[in-house]
Amino acid sequence: MASKLSFLGFAGSLRQDSFNRAILRAAQELVPSGAELRIFDLTGIPPFNQDLENQPVAEVKEFKAAIRAADALLIATPEYNYSIPGVLKNALDCASRPYGDNALDGKPLAIMGASVGMLGTARAQYHLRQCCVFLNMYPLNRPEVMVPFAQEKIDEQGRLADVKTREKIAELLAALILWTRRLQPG
Ligand SMILES: Cc1cc2nc3c(=O)[nH]c(=O)nc-3n(C[C@H](O)[C@H](O)[C@H](O)COP(=O)(O)O)c2cc1C
């Protein structure tokens, strides 16, 4: 039997009641038995400063090690001003440096996102896919999980209550398992 895959998830929001953190927690509940999902909190990642890229702080070292230890990544991104939040872009920048030590290189990736708007982070997700080109990550094409009007789907306790969205996330995770296995050498 194939061994369990290990997924690492992070959300591009530091907000306590973040909808994107909420859908990531839902993903942790919904992950199929062939994988497990660890969540990494980006709170401790400092603003990237290229002068210091060869002496990363402990949080960046830990983040890069967690990425490297994972078979695949799951990113839950908000949409800020039609793009990904600076917090997420900064974390990806930190993980990709110094040049030649890109922890994201070759990683399979699934993307999802929740917003209060009607397009459910579509524009941010396509910007994220553009970043994946230079990062040399392998984002899964489908299903696209875009959660519009998130405030109507996530309850006061921060639980994703919407059944259809839960099904979509479960579908995404199942597809990520197949995608990761397909990309594994041998
Ligand atoms: C600086 C900023 C810019 C935003 N821009 C957009 C946007 O372009 N599109 C959108 O749908 N929502 C936008 N929003 C609203 C977010 O969808 C909403 O704040 C969402 O809850 C953020 O995700 P979170 O709950 O995970 O923190 C913006 C919010 C902020 C704070």
Side-chain angles (χ1 to χ4, degrees):
M1 213 178 81
S3 61
K4 234 178 202 210
L5 293 174
S6 105
F7 295 161
L8 184 76
F10 43 94
S13 173
L14 307 183
R15 201 167 71 84
Q16 188 71 32
D17 297 328
S18 158
F19 297 134
N20 286 279
R21 288 161 78 132
I23 62 171
L24 205 52
R25 286 194 302 274
Q28 211 167 29
E29 293 167 11
L30 294 165
V31 73
S33 57
E36 59 194 8
L37 173 63
R38 178 187 161 196
I39 294 177
F40 193 96
D41 185 346
L42 299 182
T43 303
I45 305 291
F48 178 74
N49 176 347
Q50 197 177 357
D51 288 339
L52 306 175
E53 69 178 348
N54 289 308
Q55 302 98 40
V57 298
E59 288 85 350
V60 171
K61 280 191 201 162
E62 197 199 331
F63 183 44
K64 291 180 76 172
I67 291 168
R68 288 202 159 103
D71 296 302
L73 305 181
L74 172 64
I75 295 180
T77 185
E79 181 169 290
Y80 277 10
N81 298 314
Y82 284 16
S83 187
I84 59 174
V87 160
L88 175 57
K89 180 62 164 56
N90 180 65
L92 295 174
D93 292 343
C94 288
S96 70
R97 298 296 296 191
Y99 186 76
D101 190 35
N102 172 15
L104 300 159
D105 189 15
K107 284 286 163 190
L109 165 70
I111 298 169
M112 58 184 187
S115 89
V116 298
M118 65 188 289
L119 292 186
T121 73
R123 293 161 294 217
Q125 291 197 28
Y126 294 129
H127 270 188
L128 179 54
R129 286 178 187 273
Q130 184 178 331
C131 296
C132 290
V133 178
F134 191 66
L135 292 169
N136 195 36
M137 300 184 77
Y138 297 122
L140 179 66
N141 281 332
R142 283 190 294 231
E144 293 185 301
V145 180
M146 294 161 178
V147 185
F149 309 121
Q151 70 281 11
E152 295 169 12
K153 294 170 181 152
I154 293 158
D155 67 21
E156 299 274 290
Q157 284 70 48
R159 186 169 191 278
L160 175 64
D162 187 68
V163 174
K164 284 220 160 65
T165 308
R166 292 181 76 83
E167 282 169 6
K168 259 293 177 252
I169 292 174
E171 207 185 300
L172 179 74
L173 292 163
L176 184 60
I177 290 177
L178 293 177
W179 182 233
T180 305
R181 295 239 180 264
R182 204 163 148 182
L183 290 171
Q184 276 178 338

